[in-house]
Amino acid sequence: MNITRNNVDALNAVVTVEVSKADYAPQVDKVLKNYLKNASIPGFRKGAVPMSLIQKQYGKAVLLEEVNKVLQENLNNYLATEKLDILGNPLPKINEDFNWDADDYSFEFELGLAPEFTVDLEAKNKITYYKITADDKMLDDQVQRIQKQYGKLISKDTVEEGFDVTGTFTNEENGINNTATISLDIFKDKKTAKKFIGKKVGDVVTLKTKGLFDDDHKLMDYLKVGHDNVHGLDIEVDFKIEEINASELAELNQELFDKLFGEGNVTSVEQVKEKIKEDAEKQFASQADQKFINDVTSSLLENTKFDLPAEFLKKWIQTVGETPLTAEQAEEEYARSENGLRYQLIEGKVMSQNNLQITFDDLKAYTAEIIKKQMAQFGQMNPTDEDVDGIVARVLSNQEEVKRLSEQVMNEKMLGLFKEKVKAKTKEVSYEQFIKEMYGE
């Protein structure tokens, strides 16, 4: 067995594997002898079939199979020994004149090589890390929602100012059919709210979507319209009234505080707002972190320059699926997946440059924290270590779960690294401002 490599350029190579008869003949003979022992052919006793007949009937198929086994085993060993960082899998070069009747064979494989590059996390950039705060308006609104939630609903016949109205938004042409409860102060224009005054159950109010709310994103919530369609959406929707309710707000007293936060833990509206602020900003932090990761990812893709063996990858894409693709289909698939491949390479380089690894202890600790949080949601505030460890063991016995959790652990490690090394400016914003920044508006 002789294997040689010719580097076509920095990203492409051809490996030639020369297989001699001595590499495969012993195994071919062994397989054919096993066939001979067990062959059952009319006219011959079992075990007495002539080898020439076995050779004629099975020889070529066995030869192809055993040569392929030797070929793949030695090629894989070569790639591992040479520590070649390849993209995709080796592609065999077609030889129209290949002769299986010869004793010795030569096979050529095309390789796509991973590019050499470095990632500079500390380079100048325009990335912002958003610190999202719960402003006074949000806290006041949330307190009022709590009062409504724990207050009493009083059914009414006719819509008046301050009432809540439940109904269904519809527009058949645009596929809109969504039931929602609205308060009249959600509309941008007071004239729109006035359309509802005096209406009764069963009445239909027709509304224009353009400028309906102070933020077009609210159309996503109330009409279930996709983000790409809400901006400048200018259609009419019907709102059929199904319920009219007045809210008798719950009193902000100790009984309500105890119901919300446990007996004696909160004793004033100010403390209620502090609790709401604390919980909200924890949730906001995870959203800010995700945007930060997304922005760093985009920046790295834009600023980390390297070439790929594009033509090789397009040929590989044609062969890798269950159904072979045409050259045109592979071109389209490559265009769709190129950025994903580039980021996989960048992420791998970041991990190797910064020695980011996941240990089994990391995975166990992360899984245990998730389990404790889930148990707390069901009232189990102080589970024993034995109980938690037992659940962790069951979860980590599932390979799909291990893969999913490993991705989450690495995501947290990457986030920590980005926060440490990426020179981003910090900007304090309200949640509304963050949403506008999130969608680039």
Side-chain angles (χ1 to χ4, degrees):
M1 178 76 64
N2 184 38
I3 303 180
T4 57
R5 182 173 83 250
N6 174 38
N7 289 331
V8 179
D9 55 38
L11 297 172
N12 295 274
V14 175
V15 167
T16 303
V17 183
E18 294 176 352
V19 180
S20 67
K21 187 172 183 178
D23 296 319
Y24 63 83
Q27 192 59 27
V28 170
D29 289 344
K30 181 180 177 182
V31 173
L32 290 176
K33 285 176 181 177
N34 283 335
Y35 273 59
L36 183 64
K37 290 178 187 177
N38 300 302
S40 178
I41 296 177
F44 297 94
R45 287 182 293 106
K46 188 174 181 179
V49 179
M51 177 56 83
S52 59
L53 192 56
I54 296 294
Q55 178 71 40
K56 183 178 179 181
Q57 189 164 350
Y58 301 108
K60 184 58 69 72
V62 171
L63 173 68
L64 265 62
E65 183 176 354
E66 295 307 319
V67 168
N68 186 57
K69 285 180 183 177
V70 168
L71 180 63
Q72 292 301 325
E73 180 182 354
N74 284 274
L75 178 59
N76 290 337
N77 289 340
Y78 173 81
L79 296 175
T81 302
E82 294 292 309
K83 297 180 180 177
L84 291 179
D85 192 2
I86 65 172
L87 302 178
N89 294 316
L91 288 179
K93 294 185 77 172
I94 304 301
N95 181 355
E96 301 292 347
D97 299 323
F98 194 86
N99 181 16
W100 280 105
D101 292 326
D103 288 335
D104 300 331
Y105 310 111
S106 180
F107 302 91
E108 290 185 326
F109 294 87
E110 295 179 70
L111 303 182
L113 305 177
E116 291 292 330
F117 63 96
T118 57
V119 180
D120 186 1
L121 293 179
E122 299 182 61
K124 290 183 67 175
N125 60 65
K126 297 179 180 177
I127 298 171
T128 299
Y129 182 81
Y130 293 95
K131 184 180 179 185
I132 311 169
T133 61
D135 58 16
D136 290 341
K137 181 180 182 302
M138 173 177 279
L139 299 177
D140 290 340
D141 288 348
Q142 188 61 33
V143 168
Q144 191 171 61
R145 284 193 196 96
I146 290 170
Q147 286 183 275
K148 274 190 173 185
Q149 181 182 348
Y150 288 90
K152 294 179 183 176
L153 282 181
I154 303 169
S155 182
K156 297 289 185 179
D157 296 324
T158 307
V159 179
E160 295 180 23
E161 197 168 325
F163 287 5
D164 290 335
V165 183
T166 299
T168 302
F169 287 103
T170 56
N171 177 298
E172 188 173 342
E173 184 180 347
N174 290 272
I176 295 170
N177 189 314
N178 188 58
T179 300
T181 298
I182 60 174
S183 56
L184 303 187
D185 59 1
I186 65 168
F187 300 115
K188 184 177 180 180
D189 189 343
K190 289 183 179 179
K191 290 180 182 177
T192 304
K194 287 182 180 178
K195 288 185 177 183
F196 285 83
I197 303 300
K199 299 294 184 184
K200 299 180 180 298
V201 171
D203 288 345
V204 175
V205 181
T206 300
L207 306 168
K208 285 185 176 292
T209 57
K210 189 173 182 180
L212 186 60
F213 304 117
D214 58 358
D215 182 349
D216 284 343
H217 292 110
K218 290 181 180 177
L219 294 170
M220 296 167 64
D221 296 324
Y222 290 107
L223 274 62
K224 297 303 178 193
V225 178
H227 178 260
D228 292 342
N229 300 320
V230 296
H231 298 292
L233 183 66
D234 190 4
I235 60 173
E236 288 188 341
V237 291
D238 290 333
F239 184 87
K240 184 174 182 180
I241 298 173
E242 294 159 4
E243 279 185 40
I244 303 167
N245 292 298
S247 294
E248 184 180 298
L249 299 182
E251 284 187 43
L252 294 171
N253 55 26
Q254 194 59 48
E255 182 182 352
L256 179 60
F257 301 158
D258 291 346
K259 189 180 293 185
L260 291 170
F261 303 105
E263 190 172 347
N265 291 321
V266 168
T267 58
S268 67
V269 175
E270 288 70 27
Q271 288 181 342
V272 170
K273 289 183 178 180
E274 286 173 12
K275 286 279 189 183
I276 294 171
K277 183 179 178 70
E278 181 183 342
D279 291 343
E281 291 182 354
K282 279 182 184 176
Q283 294 180 34
F284 296 160
S286 65
Q287 294 181 54
D289 285 345
Q290 190 57 57
K291 176 163 174 58
F292 179 61
I293 287 178
N294 293 345
D295 290 346
V296 171
T297 299
S298 297
S299 178
L300 291 175
L301 279 169
E302 182 181 350
N303 296 304
T304 307
K305 304 297 184 185
F306 53 83
D307 293 325
L308 291 170
E311 294 310 311
F312 168 84
L313 289 169
K314 290 170 191 174
K315 283 198 282 186
W316 175 69
I317 287 170
Q318 282 186 263
T319 66
V320 74
E322 290 183 10
T323 305
L325 301 182
T326 65
E328 292 75 15
Q329 289 171 325
E331 183 87 36
E332 292 172 4
E333 180 60 30
Y334 178 76
R336 282 193 295 268
S337 60
E338 182 182 356
N339 268 356
L341 173 58
R342 286 183 177 276
Y343 189 67
Q344 281 181 18
L345 292 171
I346 291 170
E347 185 178 51
K349 186 66 70 173
V350 169
M351 290 164 63
S352 64
Q353 284 182 190
N354 295 277
N355 196 30
L356 286 189
Q357 297 176 340
I358 299 175
T359 66
F360 190 64
D361 285 342
D362 291 335
L363 203 53
K364 283 174 62 180
Y366 182 79
T367 307
E369 282 305 308
I370 291 176
I371 289 166
K372 287 176 185 176
K373 287 176 183 176
Q374 291 174 342
M375 294 176 81
Q377 290 176 353
F378 292 96
Q380 292 177 267
M381 305 305 293
N382 296 298
T384 66
D385 290 343
E386 186 179 356
D387 287 341
V388 173
D389 289 345
I391 299 172
V392 168
R394 287 198 296 276
V395 170
L396 297 184
S397 67
N398 183 320
Q399 289 305 306
E400 286 298 315
E401 281 297 295
V402 169
K403 181 181 176 183
R404 184 180 67 83
L405 291 166
S406 295
E407 288 172 356
Q408 292 177 8
V409 173
M410 183 51 71
N411 195 54
E412 285 203 351
K413 285 179 178 280
M414 292 288 278
L415 173 62
L417 181 69
F418 290 163
K419 283 185 174 181
E420 176 189 344
K421 295 204 169 185
V422 174
K423 296 175 179 176
K425 68 175 183 180
T426 301
K427 184 177 181 181
E428 192 168 298
V429 294
S430 68
Y431 187 68
E432 279 190 17
Q433 290 170 326
F434 174 73
I435 292 299
K436 290 179 180 178
E437 295 280 0
M438 185 85 168
Y439 292 107
E441 297 148 16

